[in-house]
Amino acid sequence: MKSAGPLQPNREAAAEPPKDSQKIEALERGLMLLQAFRRGDQHLGNAELASRVLLPKATVSRLAYTLTAAGFLVFDPVTRRYSLGPSAIAVGSIALSNTSVREIARPYLEELADQMHLNVGLGMQDRTQIMYIDAFEGNPLIGLRLYSGTRLPLAQTSMGRAILFAYSPQKRAEVLDQLRESQSPREWEQARVGIESAFRDLEAHGFCSSAGEWRQEIHAVAAPLRLPDGRVYAINAGGPAYLVPIERLDGIGSRLRSIAEAIEQAMGGDTPAPDSLIQDQ
């Protein structure tokens, strides 16, 4: 059989594919109706729903009635409009709680690492240390070689101090006691001064920096990440001091703060996300 030319339609390829016998179309349409609700939508009428899912109003009306009976929608008889119901909210909450923060954070952190040629990481507390649970190298020739599973001292790093700041007063006091007991008096006094300075910066700007406190030749900045379920992480960016001079830390910190806000929002928080993944400062 003669094949269609590059600019000629292939009628066989354009033929409608066979229907999937395993798929329940009514269920698919009902899920489409739930997906029609967007952030900021309080109530939607029948006509609005029909226009968004491209289905006849009569079909939308039957689907909405069924979803209302199941608790996925709530119908207001006065305004004759629908809002998401408790069943939909419960399913959404479960999905968010099971979503890995690494999956949400990864595109933000990868983009920052590529743009700024820095080591960018996501970390959490592990006793008196910080453990990277994800890390990205913007330029392998000048990277710090910090990977997932790498551990750094909590008290001397911007990431550790950002996490401490985000903790509740009780949790913070417990961790500070562990740090005090694990260090010599001289080490603890130096760490305490650095932590107090970082807390002032975090209170004022939402991020803190560490210039040569972990390693003399390394500068880094971090922002805390507070999730709705109470978990606390931090994101950071750093590199050799000659690439990350002190004058550059504030600009990097501002971008980290915006990224943290976006991740918190994506995980179900109340902080508004920026218009793009990373906003230039």
Side-chain angles (χ1 to χ4, degrees):
M1 187 180 76
K2 185 179 179 180
S3 62
L7 299 181
Q8 298 297 319
N10 187 327
R11 298 187 182 279
E12 289 187 358
E16 187 174 327
K19 291 186 177 180
D20 187 346
S21 61
Q22 297 297 313
K23 185 168 66 175
I24 303 175
E25 291 189 2
L27 176 59
E28 182 182 33
R29 291 178 172 183
L31 295 174
M32 287 171 55
L33 206 62
L34 294 176
Q35 292 173 334
F37 287 86
R38 302 165 186 161
R39 186 178 298 277
D41 287 337
Q42 301 257 332
H43 309 279
L44 293 178
N46 202 50
E48 292 170 294
L49 288 168
S51 67
R52 291 190 181 184
V53 297
L54 303 178
L55 291 174
K57 290 183 182 179
T59 301
V60 168
S61 180
R62 292 194 298 271
L63 291 171
Y65 177 86
T66 303
L67 290 168
T68 300
F72 284 89
L73 292 178
V74 173
F75 179 66
D76 185 337
V78 176
T79 62
R80 304 195 63 79
R81 293 162 72 85
Y82 296 91
S83 59
L84 290 175
S87 295
I89 295 171
V91 170
S93 298
I94 293 170
L96 282 174
S97 66
N98 290 334
T99 300
S100 168
V101 66
R102 292 178 64 190
E103 296 172 359
I104 298 295
R106 185 168 290 124
Y108 296 91
L109 303 185
E110 279 186 318
E111 183 177 352
L112 182 63
D114 290 340
Q115 286 184 356
M116 306 198 75
H117 307 295
L118 299 174
N119 180 276
V120 178
L122 170 69
M124 61 184 295
Q125 180 203 354
D126 182 19
R127 289 167 289 184
T128 60
Q129 296 179 315
I130 290 297
M131 182 178 71
Y132 273 64
I133 60 175
D134 223 344
F136 305 93
E137 293 280 3
N139 187 332
L141 297 178
I142 55 175
L144 302 183
R145 301 299 188 269
L146 300 176
Y147 305 112
S148 180
T150 298
R151 286 174 169 80
L152 304 179
L154 189 152
Q156 286 78 22
T157 57
S158 58
M159 182 179 278
R161 294 167 180 176
I163 287 179
L164 272 177
F165 180 80
Y167 278 154
S168 67
Q170 180 180 354
K171 175 69 172 178
R172 184 189 302 163
E174 293 173 358
V175 178
L176 287 172
D177 285 343
Q178 295 176 21
L179 292 172
R180 186 184 299 110
E181 294 171 1
S182 67
Q183 300 183 13
S184 69
R186 181 180 178 182
E187 290 174 331
W188 169 244
E189 180 58 23
Q190 291 177 338
R192 184 189 63 79
V193 171
I195 291 170
E196 290 180 352
S197 176
F199 279 15
R200 289 192 293 269
D201 290 339
L202 285 157
E203 184 70 34
H205 308 296
F207 58 86
C208 66
S209 60
S210 173
E213 296 181 67
W214 169 49
R215 289 184 183 172
Q216 186 175 4
E217 72 279 10
I218 301 300
H219 290 178
V221 61
L225 187 59
R226 305 173 180 89
L227 302 190
D229 62 6
R231 288 178 292 167
V232 173
Y233 299 86
I235 55 176
N236 78 337
Y242 70 91
L243 286 177
V244 193
I246 292 176
E247 308 83 68
R248 194 182 174 198
L249 292 176
D250 284 351
I252 299 171
S254 295
R255 297 181 73 171
L256 285 173
R257 182 188 59 213
S258 295
I259 291 172
E261 291 171 353
I263 297 170
E264 289 169 354
Q265 173 68 14
M267 293 293 291
D270 296 324
T271 304
D275 294 335
S276 60
L277 288 185
I278 299 174
Q279 293 182 332
D280 289 330
Q281 299 297 322

